[in-house]
Amino acid sequence: MQPDKQNANLRIAALVSVGKHPGSGRARRAEQDARAVEMGLAMAPQGLEVLHAGDPHAEALRAYAGMGLKKIRILQQGENADAVPALSQYLGESKPDIVLTGVRAESGESSGMMAYLLGEKLGMPVVTRIAEIVSIDNGQANLLQALPRGQRRALRVPLPFVASVDMAAAAPRQSAFGPASRAEMEAKKADVEVRDEVQASWSEAPARKRPKRLKVVKAKTAADRFKAATAKSSGDGGKVLRDKPASEMAQAVFDLLLEEGVIR
Amino acid sequence: MILDWLLPVLISVALLLAVAGMLKRISLWRAGQPEKVSFFSGLMAMPRRYLVDLHHVVERDKYMSKTHVATAGGFVLSMVLILAVHLFGVENRWLSYALLSALVLMFVGALFVFKRRLNPPSRLSKGPWMRLPKSLLMFAVSFFIATLPAAGILPENFGGWLLAAVLAAGIVWGMGELLFGMGWGGPMKHAFAGSLHLAFHRRPERFGGGRSTGLKPVDLTAAKLGVEKPTDFKWNQLLGFDACVQCGKCEAMCPAFAAGQPLNPKKLIQDMVVGLAGGSDAKFAGSPYPGIEVGKAEGGPNKTITEGLVSPDTLWSCTTCRACVEECPMMIEHVDAIVDMRRFLTLEKGNTPNKGAEVLDNLIATDNPNGFNPGSRMNWAADQNLRVMKDVKEADVLFWVSDGAFDMRSQRILRSFVKVLKAANVDFAVLGDEERDSGDVARRLGDDATFQSLAKRNIAAMSQYKFKRIVTTDPHAFHCLKNEYADLYPEGQKPDYEVLHHTTFINELVKAGALSLEEFKGGTVTYHDPCYLGRYNGEYDSPRELLNELGIEIAEMERSGFRSRCCGGGGGAPITDIPGERRIADMRMAEIKETGAELVAVGCQQCTAMLEGVVEPRAEVKDIAELVADALIEGDAPVSKKNGKQAKPNADKRVAEEIL
Amino acid sequence: MSDEIIRRDPRAEWIARNRLHPLHDAMQQAGAAETRGPSGLIRRNPHAVGFIGPNGIKRIDRMNGNGPAVGGRRSAGAAKEVELPLHKVENPDYYVVVVPDMVGGRLSGHDRDVIGQAHKLIREGEGAGAVLAVVFGEHREEAFDKAGVDRLLNITGEAFEGYTPELRVAALEQVEKEYAPKYWLLPDSVAAGFELGCRLAARIGERPATQAWQVSSEEAICRGAGGTTDITRKTPRLMLLAEECAEPIDETRHEVLPVELEASVSVQAVIQDCGQVAVDPNAIPLGEAEFILSAGNGVTDWNQFHQAAEALGATEGASRVAVDDGNMPRFRQVGATGTWVTARVYVAVGISGAVQHLQGIGQCDKVIAINTDVGCDMVKRAALSCIADSGEVMAELIRLANAYRQEVVENAA
């Protein structure tokens, strides 16, 4: 979307967190947060403020700055502090028109509650998983919400609002090393710092592999269990159709498509 | 006689104008960034660089070499003598005779230049270059006639004022081209800029039979990273661009140009010249970038190159195969310039096209270009029982696995090589999960920050262990480790190991008799030289010797050795994927087909992937490691072979001879 | 006891002895393994004992037919639906409220898991708890009883149709007031549960456990940090549960007593649902697409291919070769060097299956190959392969798809 005059006065706050690569576990820019920044840059490059609550020295924040940001505002607080009070207080004062977040963080609890808690605290409506802000007119935003498998739902919501940005949103622009290393990290001690007491009692460990649920067969006899266990494997495996008329083969393919429910 | 006073005046004026033009040109170069060169030793070395190193390159084309020796030699000699005879008026008959013969030499050379220009191949630029042979002839003839009286062959006043006027006109034309044009941007600029370029070359190691192919590191703390404007180049790079003679040898070798991608190395260098002097490319008289019209590009010393002068697609089309650099008789460094400009696009603009950004993100987050879990780097070798440096701390050979570890096709090559190593009882170990991408792709895509980060971590990992040699199956990693890592070692430290490509290493093993191989049974075989093995590191022989050891007689392609054509897989080209009319790999496979080969041996996993990407039917593609592993005679230790049991015919003969 | 008298059937005996007799096989089958020999003794034919099992291995039924039905012989009893015991909660001490997604108006597998978890929590706790399911809008589920729903609160009304998160949260807030449930359980799903759960948690001030996958009344194990860590914590009141968090109910029936909210729910919703947007299957990003029709080197008629994709409603994909040849744009390329796809159904037309391509479709459930080469790797990977000219099969597929569409239209009319 082109930034037009209408959006010139629009003020957007994009909240960013330190992401975590699923493979290496290394800190990076979070994919959804980066999409939120991208959406903000596309909508209102002038009125965008990128906000982080936490450690101002986190290297991963530079990756957001590399998208072409002059500065990132950081509400400095300790590792165990709850980000919501600090952010809600700051946003309550700065009063942006749109607050963009990711759907779920890539590190920490990743509960996905941030947008909702902020919405509740700031008294702003929350829209979930948006893919695009189509337009803004008369103080109302027209949004597209991402649904599974590439489907979209159109929503209309009045400003100001909080929105979580889905992975279906426009991919973030590349982060360039030069601007990233030169951007200003404007750190300020958060006005409120609330220690997350609940979290302190949790124990955290690398994710264990979850066992795949087996097809449980409630059979009363050994013969039934035997049948259930063997029936599947004999039916599986590639079926090869050859030397048959094309219509017959096509029918078999089509039946499978119907069975899988992909023909709508 | 008129000429007696006119000639010295004309010569002086032409010389003064030429010098003024040269000073102006020098000021243009000086707008570039400072770069330390050894000024005097460079100037001192220049004649040798010109007469030996440059001549070696030109000598590949015997016709042009001889022509140039005659023309240029004749011109330089006659110019010196003209100064003596006509400017300073030294009256010596022998000197005049010498001048006459120099002019004859130049005339003969110019005739051949003229003949070449009668029906020039498309790679040659036209325009002012078509005028040059005529100017040369005019210069030689005019001065020849003008010198005849001084030599006493013709009477003093022969021909009267008419001939004098004609001669004066001819001399003005000749000197206008050859002296004035040298300073003010005519075709003869190449002589002036070229000689200084040779003196102040950015890679003096290239002269005297050396090789310098590693890219120069970026200072990451600089205010601007990479080259945005012509003035961001080093001054001697700008000088190098001016040395171009537009012979188009680069164009004829460039795989991207042949594939119809929007790159022509010659045009690129000329666009750099346009940039450094300011103006448009309207006067360019050679082949355009495929698909891009000539005359629309404009630039200036302080204008962003990629906005109006050169399209970013042009820069991203390059496979960094160095065919242009290898071929350039003026030793211009095209690849350096392209990567410098890419660096700006990636590091400052964040504009790496197509999958580039994703690959770089992956390299940053996972140390491999495809974003695989770095902890799974050793999964391919689960059944190989390899020794890991972390456990053994010391080994003769460090086997650098490279990112082929993640690719199922490349894993076959790796397994084959391990089989060979084991058969030869080599004491080797791998870095395992401590190994990272060599940084090759990141660096060629312009992301020197990521390259340096990867390299430094690799260096730190390697520094913990003791080994004498690194062997790798990946020529790209080979090149980085061998030529580019030394710049990034911590202050006061230097790499203390030798880096070898697996073909070199296996060849050594075979020569030392550590492997027993059976004869290759198969059809015709050709060999494809990987750019990063051949042109970058000069290793053309080991793979060929090794194939010969296998009893293979290579059906060489027309483009082989230092003229080998790229597979299209280098420089991040498959990642940036700039569309063309053909695919480079398809063209290469067509050349393979011309040899009638049923199998093409390669020494690079990237080449394997690119060539296997060609639609069948095509020649089978196998890495040399695979061929050797297939030919291994197992369970037959080389020691027992010496005892004369049984072995392959070749070795058998040798053994038999030994016994006799 | 007249049937005790042994009567010989010389013809049958003769047929039984004569293996070349046309009726031999039939007689042997009918008479199974035992026959009366000429002397009146029972003779057992060991070759005829047992039956061929599903794996093609011969199986001998040692219970001699007295076991439960195997094969088709005594299937009458098995086919009859077993009446499951009814689980009753007369006066529940507390409620565990479940808000199922009801995708398509029916309980999803995920919903059933969550209900199963609710019962697990009740079993572990003290007192008699009842599972109260809150269902919004009209539903089409008929088997709430077998899924384990003790009480059903069906909140209907036009206002609740469509995407109405604010209204639904208000209703759940009312449930909180009236029922004060011991636990709130929602599926942590993209469909609705995640959003509703988070909204509710923020509204009632509960800190939820999200992506909880192993929950007891004491502690809950949740996936954190984007699924890379396990957080073990005290079980909170509100939980968003991961799929397969618990076994669904399958051995009892439940009452499904309808309950009502006392107060009516009304709230001024500010989020306006403007309806679902029609999405062209080809506009769906390849990585997200559910159904991909992918073309390779074997496709010659590209118009037909595009027609087929349109008729089937599939997203188009391509192999590297098809892209390199300029027949398909680069962003359509599937594989390790293109896009890694997650489609449930992947139809590969004329793709032989290079390693990189197979890597890229690793996550696809059902692969269908249409190819002329039976030996190619794609056929080995595929669940169903057609060895035929792709053009012919695609033409037939277009015809079938169009006929199917026609039929649906007619049925609807």
Side-chain angles (χ1 to χ4, degrees), chain B residues 483-500:
Chain B
N483 303 321
E484 297 189 342
Y485 272 28
D487 294 333
L488 296 166
Y489 263 77
E491 200 100 0
Q493 286 183 43
K494 269 200 315 210
D496 56 353
Y497 45 78
E498 191 186 0
V499 190
L500 296 175

PDB file of all heavy atoms in Angstrom, chain B residues 483-500:
ATOM      1  N   ASN B 483      42.260 -18.268   0.357  1.00  0.00           N
ATOM      2  CA  ASN B 483      42.629 -16.924  -0.099  1.00  0.00           C
ATOM      3  C   ASN B 483      41.995 -15.779   0.683  1.00  0.00           C
ATOM      4  O   ASN B 483      42.444 -14.656   0.570  1.00  0.00           O
ATOM      5  CB  ASN B 483      42.248 -16.756  -1.574  1.00  0.00           C
ATOM      6  CG  ASN B 483      42.900 -17.795  -2.444  1.00  0.00           C
ATOM      7  OD1 ASN B 483      44.059 -18.143  -2.237  1.00  0.00           O
ATOM      8  ND2 ASN B 483      42.152 -18.326  -3.390  1.00  0.00           N
ATOM      9  N   GLU B 484      40.921 -16.058   1.385  1.00  0.00           N
ATOM     10  CA  GLU B 484      40.210 -14.926   1.974  1.00  0.00           C
ATOM     11  C   GLU B 484      40.233 -14.898   3.502  1.00  0.00           C
ATOM     12  O   GLU B 484      39.993 -13.854   4.097  1.00  0.00           O
ATOM     13  CB  GLU B 484      38.758 -14.908   1.461  1.00  0.00           C
ATOM     14  CG  GLU B 484      38.716 -14.699  -0.047  1.00  0.00           C
ATOM     15  CD  GLU B 484      37.337 -14.443  -0.622  1.00  0.00           C
ATOM     16  OE1 GLU B 484      36.346 -14.758   0.069  1.00  0.00           O
ATOM     17  OE2 GLU B 484      37.254 -13.934  -1.748  1.00  0.00           O
ATOM     18  N   TYR B 485      40.496 -16.047   4.124  1.00  0.00           N
ATOM     19  CA  TYR B 485      40.450 -16.069   5.588  1.00  0.00           C
ATOM     20  C   TYR B 485      41.653 -15.365   6.220  1.00  0.00           C
ATOM     21  O   TYR B 485      41.559 -14.866   7.324  1.00  0.00           O
ATOM     22  CB  TYR B 485      40.358 -17.519   6.103  1.00  0.00           C
ATOM     23  CG  TYR B 485      38.935 -18.020   6.223  1.00  0.00           C
ATOM     24  CD1 TYR B 485      37.941 -17.516   5.398  1.00  0.00           C
ATOM     25  CD2 TYR B 485      38.576 -18.980   7.160  1.00  0.00           C
ATOM     26  CE1 TYR B 485      36.652 -17.961   5.485  1.00  0.00           C
ATOM     27  CE2 TYR B 485      37.277 -19.432   7.262  1.00  0.00           C
ATOM     28  CZ  TYR B 485      36.311 -18.928   6.419  1.00  0.00           C
ATOM     29  OH  TYR B 485      35.018 -19.375   6.536  1.00  0.00           O
ATOM     30  N   ALA B 486      42.780 -15.343   5.495  1.00  0.00           N
ATOM     31  CA  ALA B 486      43.996 -14.789   6.097  1.00  0.00           C
ATOM     32  C   ALA B 486      43.777 -13.343   6.537  1.00  0.00           C
ATOM     33  O   ALA B 486      44.323 -12.905   7.554  1.00  0.00           O
ATOM     34  CB  ALA B 486      45.144 -14.881   5.101  1.00  0.00           C
ATOM     35  N   ASP B 487      42.946 -12.593   5.783  1.00  0.00           N
ATOM     36  CA  ASP B 487      42.682 -11.192   6.130  1.00  0.00           C
ATOM     37  C   ASP B 487      41.955 -11.057   7.460  1.00  0.00           C
ATOM     38  O   ASP B 487      41.917  -9.973   8.033  1.00  0.00           O
ATOM     39  CB  ASP B 487      41.796 -10.546   5.052  1.00  0.00           C
ATOM     40  CG  ASP B 487      42.520 -10.435   3.724  1.00  0.00           C
ATOM     41  OD1 ASP B 487      43.747 -10.360   3.752  1.00  0.00           O
ATOM     42  OD2 ASP B 487      41.838 -10.422   2.679  1.00  0.00           O
ATOM     43  N   LEU B 488      41.305 -12.127   7.890  1.00  0.00           N
ATOM     44  CA  LEU B 488      40.415 -12.000   9.034  1.00  0.00           C
ATOM     45  C   LEU B 488      40.957 -12.657  10.295  1.00  0.00           C
ATOM     46  O   LEU B 488      40.266 -12.763  11.300  1.00  0.00           O
ATOM     47  CB  LEU B 488      39.039 -12.597   8.685  1.00  0.00           C
ATOM     48  CG  LEU B 488      38.366 -11.815   7.555  1.00  0.00           C
ATOM     49  CD1 LEU B 488      37.216 -12.576   6.979  1.00  0.00           C
ATOM     50  CD2 LEU B 488      37.900 -10.463   8.057  1.00  0.00           C
ATOM     51  N   TYR B 489      42.187 -13.112  10.210  1.00  0.00           N
ATOM     52  CA  TYR B 489      42.794 -13.679  11.417  1.00  0.00           C
ATOM     53  C   TYR B 489      43.045 -12.568  12.421  1.00  0.00           C
ATOM     54  O   TYR B 489      43.298 -11.427  12.032  1.00  0.00           O
ATOM     55  CB  TYR B 489      44.092 -14.402  11.063  1.00  0.00           C
ATOM     56  CG  TYR B 489      43.889 -15.877  10.890  1.00  0.00           C
ATOM     57  CD1 TYR B 489      43.322 -16.384   9.730  1.00  0.00           C
ATOM     58  CD2 TYR B 489      44.210 -16.756  11.912  1.00  0.00           C
ATOM     59  CE1 TYR B 489      43.094 -17.735   9.586  1.00  0.00           C
ATOM     60  CE2 TYR B 489      43.986 -18.108  11.780  1.00  0.00           C
ATOM     61  CZ  TYR B 489      43.426 -18.590  10.617  1.00  0.00           C
ATOM     62  OH  TYR B 489      43.191 -19.930  10.492  1.00  0.00           O
ATOM     63  N   PRO B 490      42.963 -12.878  13.702  1.00  0.00           N
ATOM     64  CA  PRO B 490      43.243 -11.850  14.694  1.00  0.00           C
ATOM     65  C   PRO B 490      44.659 -11.316  14.496  1.00  0.00           C
ATOM     66  O   PRO B 490      45.533 -12.026  13.994  1.00  0.00           O
ATOM     67  CB  PRO B 490      43.131 -12.604  16.026  1.00  0.00           C
ATOM     68  CG  PRO B 490      42.384 -13.839  15.734  1.00  0.00           C
ATOM     69  CD  PRO B 490      42.595 -14.161  14.299  1.00  0.00           C
ATOM     70  N   GLU B 491      44.832 -10.077  14.902  1.00  0.00           N
ATOM     71  CA  GLU B 491      46.129  -9.402  14.753  1.00  0.00           C
ATOM     72  C   GLU B 491      47.270 -10.316  15.225  1.00  0.00           C
ATOM     73  O   GLU B 491      47.209 -10.898  16.298  1.00  0.00           O
ATOM     74  CB  GLU B 491      46.117  -8.132  15.594  1.00  0.00           C
ATOM     75  CG  GLU B 491      47.155  -7.119  15.186  1.00  0.00           C
ATOM     76  CD  GLU B 491      46.552  -6.010  14.328  1.00  0.00           C
ATOM     77  OE1 GLU B 491      45.332  -6.035  14.051  1.00  0.00           O
ATOM     78  OE2 GLU B 491      47.294  -5.154  13.919  1.00  0.00           O
ATOM     79  N   GLY B 492      48.284 -10.412  14.404  1.00  0.00           N
ATOM     80  CA  GLY B 492      49.467 -11.167  14.826  1.00  0.00           C
ATOM     81  C   GLY B 492      49.365 -12.664  14.586  1.00  0.00           C
ATOM     82  O   GLY B 492      50.293 -13.398  14.877  1.00  0.00           O
ATOM     83  N   GLN B 493      48.232 -13.125  14.072  1.00  0.00           N
ATOM     84  CA  GLN B 493      48.117 -14.566  13.803  1.00  0.00           C
ATOM     85  C   GLN B 493      47.990 -14.800  12.320  1.00  0.00           C
ATOM     86  O   GLN B 493      47.481 -13.957  11.588  1.00  0.00           O
ATOM     87  CB  GLN B 493      46.893 -15.136  14.512  1.00  0.00           C
ATOM     88  CG  GLN B 493      47.056 -15.277  16.010  1.00  0.00           C
ATOM     89  CD  GLN B 493      45.825 -15.913  16.610  1.00  0.00           C
ATOM     90  OE1 GLN B 493      45.280 -16.857  16.076  1.00  0.00           O
ATOM     91  NE2 GLN B 493      45.377 -15.362  17.733  1.00  0.00           N
ATOM     92  N   LYS B 494      48.438 -15.958  11.910  1.00  0.00           N
ATOM     93  CA  LYS B 494      48.352 -16.290  10.490  1.00  0.00           C
ATOM     94  C   LYS B 494      47.920 -17.737  10.368  1.00  0.00           C
ATOM     95  O   LYS B 494      48.187 -18.537  11.255  1.00  0.00           O
ATOM     96  CB  LYS B 494      49.717 -16.097   9.834  1.00  0.00           C
ATOM     97  CG  LYS B 494      49.909 -14.721   9.267  1.00  0.00           C
ATOM     98  CD  LYS B 494      51.009 -14.669   8.213  1.00  0.00           C
ATOM     99  CE  LYS B 494      52.253 -15.405   8.599  1.00  0.00           C
ATOM    100  NZ  LYS B 494      53.488 -14.900   8.057  1.00  0.00           N
ATOM    101  N   PRO B 495      47.234 -18.070   9.283  1.00  0.00           N
ATOM    102  CA  PRO B 495      46.895 -19.484   9.117  1.00  0.00           C
ATOM    103  C   PRO B 495      48.172 -20.305   8.986  1.00  0.00           C
ATOM    104  O   PRO B 495      49.088 -19.900   8.266  1.00  0.00           O
ATOM    105  CB  PRO B 495      46.065 -19.517   7.834  1.00  0.00           C
ATOM    106  CG  PRO B 495      46.278 -18.196   7.174  1.00  0.00           C
ATOM    107  CD  PRO B 495      46.674 -17.235   8.225  1.00  0.00           C
ATOM    108  N   ASP B 496      48.241 -21.434   9.703  1.00  0.00           N
ATOM    109  CA  ASP B 496      49.455 -22.242   9.654  1.00  0.00           C
ATOM    110  C   ASP B 496      49.162 -23.601   9.047  1.00  0.00           C
ATOM    111  O   ASP B 496      49.686 -24.604   9.476  1.00  0.00           O
ATOM    112  CB  ASP B 496      50.031 -22.397  11.067  1.00  0.00           C
ATOM    113  CG  ASP B 496      49.000 -22.974  12.013  1.00  0.00           C
ATOM    114  OD1 ASP B 496      47.829 -23.104  11.588  1.00  0.00           O
ATOM    115  OD2 ASP B 496      49.346 -23.297  13.164  1.00  0.00           O
ATOM    116  N   TYR B 497      48.276 -23.590   8.077  1.00  0.00           N
ATOM    117  CA  TYR B 497      47.919 -24.859   7.441  1.00  0.00           C
ATOM    118  C   TYR B 497      47.875 -24.638   5.936  1.00  0.00           C
ATOM    119  O   TYR B 497      47.822 -23.519   5.437  1.00  0.00           O
ATOM    120  CB  TYR B 497      46.564 -25.349   7.923  1.00  0.00           C
ATOM    121  CG  TYR B 497      45.514 -24.262   7.951  1.00  0.00           C
ATOM    122  CD1 TYR B 497      44.896 -23.851   6.777  1.00  0.00           C
ATOM    123  CD2 TYR B 497      45.144 -23.635   9.146  1.00  0.00           C
ATOM    124  CE1 TYR B 497      43.968 -22.845   6.786  1.00  0.00           C
ATOM    125  CE2 TYR B 497      44.206 -22.629   9.161  1.00  0.00           C
ATOM    126  CZ  TYR B 497      43.623 -22.232   7.968  1.00  0.00           C
ATOM    127  OH  TYR B 497      42.698 -21.224   7.972  1.00  0.00           O
ATOM    128  N   GLU B 498      47.885 -25.755   5.234  1.00  0.00           N
ATOM    129  CA  GLU B 498      47.796 -25.726   3.786  1.00  0.00           C
ATOM    130  C   GLU B 498      46.357 -26.110   3.437  1.00  0.00           C
ATOM    131  O   GLU B 498      45.782 -26.973   4.096  1.00  0.00           O
ATOM    132  CB  GLU B 498      48.772 -26.783   3.254  1.00  0.00           C
ATOM    133  CG  GLU B 498      49.032 -26.749   1.799  1.00  0.00           C
ATOM    134  CD  GLU B 498      49.894 -27.945   1.377  1.00  0.00           C
ATOM    135  OE1 GLU B 498      50.261 -28.766   2.244  1.00  0.00           O
ATOM    136  OE2 GLU B 498      50.173 -28.052   0.194  1.00  0.00           O
ATOM    137  N   VAL B 499      45.777 -25.467   2.441  1.00  0.00           N
ATOM    138  CA  VAL B 499      44.412 -25.819   2.049  1.00  0.00           C
ATOM    139  C   VAL B 499      44.457 -26.506   0.691  1.00  0.00           C
ATOM    140  O   VAL B 499      45.092 -26.014  -0.235  1.00  0.00           O
ATOM    141  CB  VAL B 499      43.510 -24.571   1.961  1.00  0.00           C
ATOM    142  CG1 VAL B 499      42.050 -24.986   1.804  1.00  0.00           C
ATOM    143  CG2 VAL B 499      43.679 -23.701   3.189  1.00  0.00           C
ATOM    144  N   LEU B 500      43.809 -27.658   0.608  1.00  0.00           N
ATOM    145  CA  LEU B 500      43.840 -28.419  -0.633  1.00  0.00           C
ATOM    146  C   LEU B 500      42.441 -28.775  -1.077  1.00  0.00           C
ATOM    147  O   LEU B 500      41.542 -28.986  -0.261  1.00  0.00           O
ATOM    148  CB  LEU B 500      44.608 -29.735  -0.439  1.00  0.00           C
ATOM    149  CG  LEU B 500      46.085 -29.643  -0.093  1.00  0.00           C
ATOM    150  CD1 LEU B 500      46.624 -31.032   0.180  1.00  0.00           C
ATOM    151  CD2 LEU B 500      46.838 -28.993  -1.220  1.00  0.00           C
TER     152      LEU B 500
END
